[in-house]
């Protein structure tokens, strides 16, 4: 596995060069903090934000944009591989005004840090406006669809939607939250959200499963420095469940194309065998050193490209780049039934 991963990493340059032929007209992103580019910045009651240093230290002009990273996220790199500069902007940053009539309309990012498959994930009884839950993200997408119809007409809008890509990254917060609160995770709740997207013309889905969240620095603290096996087992099982759900959906909807990324298989070999990768620290967080949150007062590592984890939960820019490249060009161990690049051409 590790050897195969190293081969894919060496193929990164080839994959990037080939990506120019994998352009889609637009990309729409839903999910959690792994792909959030600043949604929660626009939620006054949210304390799940990344608008302060050292976040963004490697982003252009060292801006803390709301990404939970030292730089770009997986969503940004995938967008780059599909021909864009980086992820499209947050839906809430648009103030209800979309540039659909402009030639440069390239999509929207709806992702919100703290969200999950369940709409209750990330919310408390006193703070219900601290995140944008998945159901609300899908509703926001329907608002974009209505604007497309108003601008282009129903037929042209649906033809347009059939060509774009929907990228979804979600599930980690549900698994971690379930471990500590013990509420059940009916993953089938994901089906109605996908069905709603399909009903308005979405046909291409790039979905990433859950990485080994038990190996995050936040969870290692409670496991005496070792990965929390129970969480990793749930993360691994999550992929199998999503695989079944997507197979069934594609059987019922013959024109659906999808790629299901196996974030567990992408990440775990690096953590188990860092000597086969360019990373030397796969246990500690670069910002906060793995025991403290990433704040302006937290300690910051100097060799960020050698760290897999940026903070207690999220990957560094270099880790995100590697994950995105493998999703884009990797074989069936990392994306099934096709890769993300093949999805664009489907």
């Amino acid at each position: 596995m590790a050897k195969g991963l190293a081969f894919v990493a060496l193929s990164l340059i080839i994959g990037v060069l080939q990506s120019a032929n994998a352009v889609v007209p637009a990309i729409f992103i839903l999910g959690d903090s792994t792909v959030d580019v600043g949604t929660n910045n626009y939620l006054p009651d949210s304390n799940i934000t990344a608008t302060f240093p050292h976040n963004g230290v490697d982003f252009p002009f060292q801006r803390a944009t709301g990404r939970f990273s030292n730089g770009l996220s997986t969503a940004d790199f995938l967008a780059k591989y599909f021909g864009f500069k980086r992820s499209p902007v947050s839906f809430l940053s648009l103030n209800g005004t979309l540039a659909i009539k402009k030639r440069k309309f390239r999509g929207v990012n709806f992702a919100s840090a703290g969200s999950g498959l369940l709409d209750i994930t990330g919310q408390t009884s006193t703070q219900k406006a601290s995140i944008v839950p998945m159901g609300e993200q899908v509703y926001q997408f329907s608002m974009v669809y209505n604007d497309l119809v108003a601008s282009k007409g129903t037929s042209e809008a649906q033809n347009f939607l059939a060509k774009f890509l929907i990228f979804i990254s979600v599930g980690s917060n549900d698994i971690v939250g379930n471990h500590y609160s013990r509420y059940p995770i009916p993953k089938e709740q994901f089906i109605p959200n996908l069905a709603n997207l399909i009903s308005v013309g979405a046909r291409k889905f790039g979905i990433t499963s859950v990485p080994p969240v038990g190996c995050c620095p936040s969870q290692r603290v409670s496991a005496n420095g070792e990965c929390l096996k129970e969480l990793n087992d749930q993360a691994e099982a999550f992929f199998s469940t999503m695989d079944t759900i997507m197979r069934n959906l594609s059987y019922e909807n013959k024109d659906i194309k999808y790629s299901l990324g196996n974030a567990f298989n992408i990440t775990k070999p690096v953590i188990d065998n860092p000597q086969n990768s360019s990373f030397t620290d796969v246990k500690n967080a670069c910002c906060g050193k793995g025991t403290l949150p990433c704040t302006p007062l937290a300690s910051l590592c100097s060799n960020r490209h050698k760290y897999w984890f940026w903070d207690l939960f999220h990957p560094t820019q270099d880790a995100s780049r590697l994950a995105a490249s493998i999703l884009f060009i990797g074989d069936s161990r990392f994306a099934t039934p096709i890769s993300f690049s093949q999805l664009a051409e489907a």
Side-chain angles (χ1 to χ4, degrees):
M1 180 71 72
K3 182 178 180 181
L5 185 65
F7 174 78
V8 172
L10 290 172
S11 301
L12 173 60
I13 296 177
I14 297 176
V16 173
L17 291 174
Q18 291 175 336
S19 68
N21 297 321
V23 174
V24 292
I27 182 170
F28 295 87
I29 300 170
L30 299 89
D32 54 29
S33 57
T34 57
V35 288
D36 185 351
V37 295
T39 291
N40 289 13
N41 302 357
Y42 299 89
L43 303 175
D45 295 328
S46 181
N47 60 0
I48 311 175
T49 60
T51 54
F52 46 82
H54 300 291
N55 294 298
V57 64
D58 295 312
F59 196 84
F61 305 106
Q62 295 187 322
R63 287 188 296 130
T65 60
R67 291 166 171 82
F68 291 77
S69 170
N70 56 308
L72 299 179
S73 69
T74 302
D76 291 308
F77 285 112
L78 280 173
K80 286 169 71 72
Y81 298 158
F82 283 115
F84 309 117
K85 182 177 180 180
R86 63 177 71 104
S87 165
V89 298
S90 164
F91 174 81
L92 294 183
S93 72
L94 298 170
N95 295 317
T97 303
L98 296 177
I100 288 176
K101 293 183 179 181
K102 297 182 179 180
R103 291 175 57 191
K104 292 184 178 181
F105 175 68
R106 291 296 181 92
V108 182
N109 188 314
F110 306 94
S112 173
S115 65
L117 286 174
L118 305 178
D119 282 351
I120 63 171
T121 297
Q123 301 194 75
T124 66
S125 58
T126 57
Q127 276 194 314
K128 291 188 178 297
S130 61
I131 66 166
V132 181
M134 181 58 65
E136 178 68 15
Q137 292 180 40
V138 173
Y139 173 74
Q140 290 175 349
F141 176 85
S142 71
M143 295 173 64
V144 174
Y145 169 73
N146 290 335
D147 284 349
L148 281 168
V149 171
S151 174
K152 299 175 178 293
T154 302
S155 178
E156 186 177 347
Q158 290 187 336
N159 287 336
F160 175 75
L161 294 179
K163 298 175 183 177
F164 72 61
L165 173 69
I166 287 189
F167 175 45
I168 304 175
S169 177
V170 72
S172 296
N173 293 322
D174 301 280
I175 289 177
V176 173
N178 174 68
H179 178 72
Y180 293 103
S181 66
R182 302 300 176 183
Y183 59 76
I185 308 176
K187 301 179 183 66
E188 291 73 16
Q189 182 169 326
F190 193 47
I191 298 176
N193 285 328
L194 285 176
N196 287 337
L197 295 171
I198 292 171
S199 69
V200 296
R203 292 296 181 267
K204 292 184 178 183
F205 296 89
I207 301 173
T208 60
S209 65
V210 176
V213 288
C215 293
C216 291
S218 61
Q219 307 309 313
R220 286 182 184 269
V221 171
S222 60
N224 297 318
E226 300 300 322
C227 295
L228 201 57
K229 185 177 184 300
E230 182 179 349
L231 281 180
N232 282 351
D233 288 345
Q234 290 183 43
E236 197 165 17
F238 184 88
F239 175 83
S240 298
T241 300
M242 290 303 301
D243 188 32
T244 300
I245 288 174
M246 294 309 300
R247 286 176 185 270
N248 290 340
L249 271 177
S250 63
Y251 178 79
E252 296 167 0
N253 302 271
K254 301 298 185 183
D255 55 346
I256 295 299
K257 304 295 182 183
Y258 74 92
S259 177
L260 177 61
N262 194 326
F264 193 96
N265 279 359
I266 291 173
T267 305
K268 197 60 164 60
V270 177
I271 292 176
D272 289 344
N273 300 284
Q275 68 276 10
N276 294 327
S277 72
S278 61
F279 300 93
T280 57
D281 194 322
V282 296
K283 293 184 177 181
N284 300 298
C286 171
C287 184
K289 295 299 183 182
T291 58
L292 298 173
C294 182
T295 69
L297 299 178
S299 60
L300 180 67
C301 71
S302 59
N303 52 342
R304 293 182 286 278
H305 63 287
K306 294 295 185 180
Y307 277 70
W308 183 266
F309 290 102
W310 164 242
D311 58 18
L312 291 174
F313 300 96
H314 306 96
T316 58
Q317 174 175 266
D318 281 80
S320 294
R321 179 189 291 113
L322 176 61
S325 68
I326 295 173
L327 287 171
F328 194 74
I329 60 174
D331 60 33
S332 60
R333 293 169 297 170
F334 309 114
T336 185
I338 56 178
S339 68
F340 276 40
S341 62
Q342 291 169 325
L343 177 66
E345 298 167 357

